[in-house]
Every structure is written in C-alpha cells, then in structure tokens.
Amino acid sequence: MKKRILVLLSCLLSFLLVSCGGSKTAEKAASGPKDTLVFAQISECKTLDPQDTTEQYSQRIINVLYDRLVEVDEMTGETIPGLAKSWERIDDNTLLFHLNENVKFHNGEKFTANDVKFTIERAKSLPKVGHLYKLISNVEVVDDNTVKIITSEPFAPLLAHLSHKTASIISEKYYAEKGNKYFENPVGTGPYKYKDWKIGDRITLEAFPEYFKGEPAIKYIVVRAVPEENSRVIGLETGEIDMTADLGAESRKIVLDNKDKINYLESSGISVNYVGINTDKGVLKDRDVRRAIAMAINRDDIINSIMMGTVDKANSFIAPGTFGYSPDSKVLDYNPEEAKRIIQEKGLTGTKLSLGVSNSPVRMQMCEIIQAQLKEVGIDVSIESLEWGTFLAATGRGDLDMFTLGWGPSTYDGDYGFYPNFHSSQLGGAGNRSQYVNPAMDKLLDDAKKEVDQNKRKELYKEVAEIIYDDVPVIPMYYSNNTVAAVKGIEGVKATSYINFDELSFKK
C-alpha cells in the first residue's frame, strides 16, 4: 500500500466551541508568546499506568510521559534508540543494552538499569500485557548503565515488544514509596511531566527542562476529550484547539476549504478496523453462521460511502508495513445470496443479534450500514452505542454478540497483531474479545513467537491468516489512515498514531 502524505487545509465554521476553553487560550495569546498546545482526541485517557492499558487514548499521553529502551519511528517502521543508546544480540536468547547516562526521572532521581529490571518484571506479571514479555526469564543488571535481557527460548519479537508503550520505564524507588498511587502523580523520564488531570475535562503536561534529549519547545500540552468530530474541526477554526487526530473523510473534505488556517496531514497507517464476532455466544458458535455474516457485509459500500474511498480494503487482520503481513491473505467476498441461503437452511431467519460500538461517529455509521445489510439476509441487528470505558468492559466480558473496533500493532510486528487477539490465553480484556479458542491457532502463534528464521516466521503468520479466513472470529474491514490536523504556525507536525509533542514548536 503506497505511503501517502497529503497536506490539505481546512474548515468551514459557524459557532464557537465553548467547551474547549478558548477564552483562556485567547488570554494567553494576548499576554505573551504562545506556550500551550491544546490537543483534542475522541476519548479521555483512562489511566497513566503504562503497564495497565493497550488503548490508544491513554497511550498517547504515556508516550511522552515516559520513555522506552527503544522506540519505533512511525514514518519508517524502524526500531531506533530510546533510553538505550545501543544494543547487541549476544545469542538467540540474550540482548545486551547500553543505556544513556545522566537520564533523570521527573522527580530528580537518576534512571538506572535497576529501573529497567523492575519495569520489565512488573510488566511480565500483569495479565493484560504479560504475553509481550512472558519468554523473558531474567533481567540482569550488569551495572547502572548496562542491562542484559535473557529469554528462556529464542524470542523473535523481543526488541519490537520493548518499543511497546507497556514497556515504558517507571521508577523502582518511587513505586516502592507510592505503590499504585504512583500513577495518580506519575513520574517518568519522558519529555513532558505530569501537571494535573481534571477528570472529564483535560490532562495538562509540562515540559521537562532536564529531558536527556533536550527540553521541548512547547511548555504545556493540554489533552482534551472531544468526542464530536465536528466540534474538533470547529475548535481548530476558532483557535480553541491547536491540533487533533483521527479525522474521518467528511472532515478531510471540509478542511480542503480553508487553506490559510489549518494544515492537514495523512499517511497510511498500520491499524485495521474490524467487526469482532463473539465465537462463544449462541448461534455465533457456528462457524457457518459467522461466515454468512461476513458474506452479507459489503465492505466496498462502507468504504465508498463513509470513507469516501480514502482507505484500503483489508485483506488481513494486519496491515502492510507490519512484519508477517501477506498480500495473499483473504477476507470472504461479498455474497449475499450465499449468506441468505445459509441462514435460511439453518432456520435462523429473524435471528436477533447485538452489535456494539463506542463513541466513534464513523463506526456508528458503519454499524448502521451493517445493520441494513444483515437485515437483507434475515438477521435483525440492534446497535448498542456505549461510552469507551463501558464498551471495553462489555467486549472484554463477552456481553455483546458483535462489536466494531480497531487494532494497531504499534510494535510493527505480527506477534502483537495476532497473539493478543486470537490466542486463547488472551481471552477478554487482554485482547481476544472474540472469545476465540483454537488449539491449532495457539500452536502457530506460540511457534511464531519463538521462530528466529524470519522467512519461516512469515509462513507461520500466513497460516494464522488462513485460519482467520476460515473461522471468521473477526471480519477485517479496512486499514485506517493516520490523520492529523493542526492550526498554521505549528512546526514539526507528522501524520502518526502517537504524537511526539516534543518534536513540535510554534513558529516564531
């Protein structure tokens, strides 16, 4: 899929977004140079504990509060230095990391290899993310600035996993003092430090002057939850919001009309939007029924109407650019006649199913189209719109028959694309919201995690994709683009999933 970065521009507006606190922004602008960037996203952050979340809205903040041993450059997919300035593979089971010296936590404490050991051992012990680190058998502190990570078996995606936001390094000493209260006033080594959190309104971050890569140019970052896409676009026009992300096709169209006020950037992403099917619930235990549902959904209609043809139809649960992606993978083709035949033969005409959606206008529109399409083959779908936290809890428990969601393997490795979503050890909130259990799938995923031959590993993931095609625990719909819109005068903006606020500056 070709990389595309579009610089477009912006926004037709008719009223003020009072909820975004624009008057305060205006007062600051009037009193001196601008020092605060307001970033709006769909949902509020849920936690600042990096080892307790895999959802993007929290991780966007975690991304700049903390650092990881290594990072991923989203524009290239390459692993780059983070807290580790270099590393070397001693053997198939051992990685040695040389750490940057003179790195400090936000409370002034020195960062050492002991903090790496503590963080990784904590992450490994937690059910939500432990699978990313489970093959690590020992973290050995060589000295303050050197750490050795040893695995029980060859662990192919280890380096990629250490770039995951759940590998964000926390302070061993501060955690010993605070316990889980650590995350009420967290300290990291990142470019921004925690200032305050007004629940339901905003989180404010402040530039860390002693950041080891240099103090960020923008002093304050205010992150706000503004679910309504139209309100975020309006906020950009009025200047009450400086930057937002995750804009849909309609907003993309709107920003074309205002070239002087808003920069719009877009690039191909690695996230897939999909429909999940609860394989352990009622008639959906029947694979043929799940296949009928997949054949009843016209993905082209959804892409062309809601997304205005701006995204690529998914052929796999992982996207191009992710290790393990195969262009030969398939999703069941639209075939409403066959879908209707299956439903009728099984005597299931009139079957009622629930379809869950979070507070995403695009996914709500998608659900409405799916509802109409399934009605054509004899399935009555009720749409349940839930707040983000409630939605995650409901899908984790398996309360819903079907749901719409997205997944982006931020490590750029197929292990994090497939394993949490389809391994039976990850049922529920850990990722496997389809409640899918298949011993053959488990074995493939376990084998792929340990296979160091990259070509053999790719073949294993190709088999994984074939099982998903056959069993239909999910229906991959389309690959999302990364979209970022920012007011003119902000430099360093890139279309990435996670905004590196420390790379931004206000034009002087």
Side-chain angles (χ1 to χ4, degrees), residues 357-373:
V357 60
S358 64
N359 53 351
S360 164
V362 169
R363 289 190 187 138
M364 173 57 80
Q365 292 176 59
M366 184 169 74
C367 285
E368 290 169 351
I369 293 176
I370 290 171
Q371 181 185 48
Q373 291 176 345

Side-chain angles (χ1 to χ4, degrees), residues 22-23 76 93 111 171 262 276 279 324 371 383 392 492 503:
S23 60
T76 65
N93 294 40
F111 157 74
S171 165
I262 303 172
T279 61
Q371 181 185 48
I383 299 172
L392 291 177
E503 296 180 358

Side-chain angles (χ1 to χ4, degrees), residues 94-140:
T94 310
L95 276 172
L96 184 69
F97 292 89
H98 303 283
L99 308 180
N100 280 292
E101 300 175 10
N102 302 317
V103 176
K104 291 183 179 180
F105 285 99
H106 299 150
N107 62 356
E109 295 289 339
K110 187 178 185 300
F111 157 74
T112 72
N114 288 310
D115 300 303
V116 176
K117 178 179 173 67
F118 172 74
T119 298
I120 292 175
E121 289 176 348
R122 178 176 186 259
K124 183 182 174 183
S125 73
L126 296 177
K128 193 172 287 186
V129 299
H131 69 92
L132 289 166
Y133 314 103
K134 72 175 187 176
L135 293 185
I136 295 174
S137 58
N138 189 32
V139 182
E140 180 183 320

Side-chain angles (χ1 to χ4, degrees), residues 193-212:
K193 59 184 181 178
Y194 173 84
K195 188 172 187 296
D196 59 53
W197 184 353
K198 296 179 180 177
I199 302 293
D201 183 18
R202 68 182 68 195
I203 289 181
T204 302
L205 311 176
E206 182 177 357
F208 181 38
E210 297 179 83
Y211 185 51
F212 74 103

